[in-house]
Amino acid sequence: MNESVSSPTFSLEALRNGDRKEFARLVDAFSTPIYRLALRILGDPQDAEDVLQETFIRALSALPTFEGRSSLSTWLYRIAVNEALMMLRRRKPETLLNENDGGDEENSDNESNYLVDWCCLPEEELLSEEARQFLDQAIAQLPENLRLVFWLRDVEGLSIKETAEALGLSETNVKTRLLRARLRLRELLSEYYYERMGMRPEEDAP
């Protein structure tokens, strides 16, 4: 969800002053994208619900001192990401998300070295329910640090700057991870569409 559409409808002054109706509208506007983000991180609907609830509890208590240096959406995403990652780290203590986590050093030896041209596939094949499900599975296969950047930028529609602020990363780092995520997804989807075209990688070799 891109807040550029909905942000003019919110009164920051009312939110800071504890206006319950305005806060309820904020919750209504951002519950779905925040839940989706938490679900992508945690993979468990109940945990995602817990993160959603905790995000707005924390937002409610922090709104009186919110200075508005970032957009409301970026601020809420940052709270949600922190809550989800704290929950994830309780499960997997080694999980980190920072500039020097080493997650951008991908092993190219394990990556697919072929890409399929999808131009010849019929539109109904590209947009089929099976293809959409495979795309969801492919996104889920991305490493955590790439998946979060891809989800915020390409699915929820945040800008590079907003994504960087939400994740506590530099814009350069976001751009790098986004490129890697897109390339990885293209490779995974290429394998899928090779099968749809009745081909195998070795058949396409010179």
Side-chain angles (χ1 to χ4, degrees), residues 44-62:
D44 182 270
Q46 185 56 59
D47 287 347
E49 287 283 357
D50 292 343
V51 166
L52 176 64
Q53 181 177 357
E54 191 62 29
T55 295
F56 285 110
I57 289 174
R58 290 187 178 276
L60 181 61
S61 64

Side-chain angles (χ1 to χ4, degrees), residues 56-127:
F56 285 110
I57 289 174
R58 290 187 178 276
L60 181 61
S61 64
L63 271 169
T65 58
F66 177 60
E67 298 180 356
R69 293 180 181 176
S70 61
S71 65
L72 279 169
S73 63
T74 300
W75 183 63
L76 288 171
Y77 280 126
R78 183 67 183 269
I79 296 173
V81 167
N82 287 340
E83 290 297 320
L85 289 179
M86 282 194 293
M87 185 176 290
L88 191 63
R89 286 163 185 159
R90 286 196 289 269
R91 297 186 199 162
K92 304 176 182 178
E94 72 279 6
T95 300
L96 297 172
L97 182 70
N98 54 51
E99 297 282 359
N100 300 311
D101 61 8
D104 291 331
E105 298 300 323
E106 304 293 338
N107 186 351
S108 60
D109 292 339
N110 295 326
E111 295 180 351
S112 171
N113 59 2
Y114 62 92
L115 295 174
V116 66
D117 185 353
W118 306 339
C119 67
C120 301
L121 286 171
E123 183 177 356
E124 59 268 22
E125 180 70 37
L126 290 169
L127 300 178

Side-chain angles (χ1 to χ4, degrees), residues 105-157:
E105 298 300 323
E106 304 293 338
N107 186 351
S108 60
D109 292 339
N110 295 326
E111 295 180 351
S112 171
N113 59 2
Y114 62 92
L115 295 174
V116 66
D117 185 353
W118 306 339
C119 67
C120 301
L121 286 171
E123 183 177 356
E124 59 268 22
E125 180 70 37
L126 290 169
L127 300 178
S128 68
E129 182 63 28
E130 179 186 345
R132 292 174 187 273
Q133 290 178 359
F134 187 86
L135 176 59
D136 284 341
Q137 294 171 7
I139 293 173
Q141 290 181 48
L142 291 173
E144 186 74 37
N145 60 335
L146 303 186
R147 186 166 73 249
L148 284 177
V149 168
F150 177 83
W151 187 260
L152 288 175
R153 177 67 185 93
D154 284 359
V155 179
E156 296 300 337

